Amino acid sequence: MKQKNSNLLPSERVNQEVQIRRDAETNIAFGCPPEERKIQDLINYGIVNINKPSGPSSHLIADYVKKILNLKKTGHSGTLDPKVTGSLPVALEDATRIVQTLLPAGKEYVALMRIHDTPPEEKIRKTFKKFLGKIKQLPPVRSAVKRRLRSREIYYSEILEIKENYVLFRVGCEAGTYIRKLIHDMGLDLGSGAHMVQLIRTKAGPFKEEKWHTLQDLTDAYEVYKKENNPEPLKKIIEPFENAVKYFPKVWIMDSAVSNICHGAPLATQGISKLTKDVSPNTQVAILTLKGELVGLGTAKKTTKEILSTNEGIAVKTEKIFMGREVYPKQK
């Protein structure tokens, strides 16, 4: 499905322009670019964007993935109702801790709405405009959260088709927005009521419909890997877990800084080689090696401009480390 440029989640609108602080090279003897990982390393630090079918719960889908790949653990990035289909990123093995970063990420859905009478098209479009930006929403009676009125943001909505009393539309929204309730509330505004007929999640943060796969796709690819020793089909399905932080502000660190970070030290400004333009204090940033490997996550203490202009102080307070301590040696 093609989209207009305005139909972007907030994370997709960030300024990812890279600023060079200090030119540096990386030693090919240590680590590995994510796209060149061996299949077992990819499985241990990978994410599968499953096109969830209608019926099973999100937890059950994650369990299916675990059994298909013979893993010890998997984790999904946010619950979809059993009848809802679409993008469900499932993290594998040591990548499961990364799903926490995806929980608050924006989501996009394509929904089919049935209005309980047949209002004029102009009235329908007027109602849709009312439900843009910050809205108040009371979660449904059967929901996983406390039932109290709360604020949620609708980033964009686009009517794709109106046919009699059916409306097909796309909506980008803040995590935790209930689309079924959104449709119900729009029905009340129309004066006749409305209900959701079908819902597909087309984006879960950086994971999109263009790169989702079915459970059968995964099963077939794993069988090819096991029986024919051919990992290529599986490599096309399992994404490096670095993709989960695709839209995060980023800092790339020199090889000499990696071991210290892996041992829990904060990131000093002088350890940074380059960074994106959108780094600012109190924002979560991804710490990467010069090969693009995710070392960990932390909270920035300076702006991009400040990091570029000084050689002193702490740039990022490290909080969650993903890379093993043995990957890069401690440098004297």
Side-chain angles (χ1 to χ4, degrees):
M1 299 177 183
K2 292 185 178 180
Q3 294 175 258
K4 299 176 182 177
N5 290 335
S6 59
N7 284 1
L8 297 174
L9 299 174
S11 60
E12 298 173 296
R13 301 173 190 162
V14 295
N15 188 344
Q16 292 270 290
E17 181 184 337
V18 176
Q19 307 282 298
I20 304 297
R21 182 182 175 277
R22 179 181 171 187
D23 285 322
E25 294 183 354
T26 180
N27 191 331
I28 62 172
F30 311 117
C32 177
E35 64 276 9
E36 296 178 14
R37 283 186 184 129
K38 293 179 180 179
I39 187 61
Q40 196 54 55
D41 292 331
L42 189 58
I43 290 173
N44 288 336
Y45 286 95
I47 296 178
V48 181
N49 184 16
I50 293 294
N51 181 5
K52 178 191 170 299
S54 177
S57 66
S58 299
H59 178 76
L60 195 54
I61 293 295
D63 193 55
Y64 287 156
V65 171
K66 181 171 68 174
K67 290 176 180 176
I68 290 168
L69 297 176
N70 293 312
L71 305 178
K72 292 181 179 179
K73 56 183 177 179
T74 54
H76 65 78
S77 65
T79 302
L80 283 174
D81 288 346
K83 290 184 179 180
V84 178
T85 65
S87 181
L88 182 71
V90 177
L92 317 175
E93 297 289 34
D94 292 333
T96 51
R97 288 189 302 144
I98 202 73
V99 295
Q100 295 298 319
T101 68
L102 291 169
L103 294 177
K107 310 292 192 292
E108 182 190 85
Y109 300 87
V110 170
L112 181 61
M113 165 188 186
R114 183 180 183 276
I115 306 170
H116 297 163
D117 65 9
T118 309
E121 183 174 321
E122 182 181 346
K123 187 176 181 181
I124 295 172
R125 293 187 180 278
K126 187 176 180 181
T127 289
F128 267 76
K129 287 181 181 178
K130 289 182 183 178
F131 287 83
L132 274 176
K134 292 286 186 180
I135 65 168
K136 295 292 184 181
Q137 190 177 74
L138 184 67
V141 175
R142 296 179 64 182
S143 63
V145 298
K146 187 175 180 180
R147 197 161 187 261
R148 56 182 176 80
L149 197 65
R150 57 185 189 168
S151 175
R152 284 295 178 268
E153 187 167 0
I154 306 299
Y155 304 125
Y156 57 84
S157 66
E158 175 190 8
I159 293 175
L160 302 174
E161 185 179 358
I162 299 174
K163 189 172 183 179
E164 297 177 349
N165 60 334
Y166 288 89
V167 182
L168 181 68
F169 67 97
R170 185 195 318 277
V171 59
C173 57
E174 183 180 357
T177 304
Y178 287 89
I179 305 302
R180 188 184 303 275
K181 189 63 169 58
L182 174 68
I183 288 173
H184 172 80
D185 292 345
M186 287 196 290
L188 294 179
D189 186 78
L190 287 164
S192 58
H195 68 271
M196 187 178 79
V197 177
Q198 189 175 4
L199 185 66
I200 303 171
R201 186 159 73 187
T202 49
K203 287 184 187 178
F207 295 93
K208 306 176 184 180
E209 61 176 326
E210 292 90 344
K211 294 187 72 174
W212 65 24
H213 303 273
T214 66
L215 289 169
Q216 190 61 54
D217 292 336
L218 184 64
T219 301
D220 293 344
Y222 190 68
E223 285 298 307
V224 170
Y225 167 52
K226 282 300 181 181
K227 292 181 178 179
E228 302 177 19
N229 196 28
N230 178 7
E232 295 309 312
L234 199 54
K235 282 186 174 183
K236 292 178 181 178
I237 294 177
I238 302 176
E239 302 182 39
F241 79 142
E242 282 84 359
N243 288 3
V245 295
K246 181 177 180 180
Y247 297 114
F248 272 51
K250 302 177 186 71
V251 294
W252 287 264
I253 62 176
M254 289 174 279
D255 287 5
S256 58
V258 177
S259 180
N260 286 339
I261 301 303
C262 290
H263 281 81
L267 175 58
T269 303
Q270 61 185 3
I272 297 174
S273 173
K274 55 185 179 179
L275 65 163
T276 52
K277 201 172 184 178
D278 54 349
V279 173
S280 60
N282 301 317
T283 58
Q284 193 172 49
V285 300
I287 304 169
L288 305 170
T289 68
L290 291 173
K291 297 181 185 72
E293 305 150 289
L294 180 63
V295 179
L297 302 174
T299 299
K301 296 299 179 183
K302 299 175 183 287
T303 65
T304 295
K305 186 177 180 181
E306 289 169 338
I307 293 171
L308 291 171
S309 62
T310 185
N311 219 17
E312 300 176 352
I314 300 302
V316 179
K317 178 185 176 184
T318 53
E319 292 166 347
K320 187 177 288 190
I321 303 302
F322 294 96
M323 179 171 280
R325 294 179 176 181
E326 74 289 346
V327 179
Y328 283 74
K330 188 173 182 64
Q331 298 193 12
K332 298 178 181 179

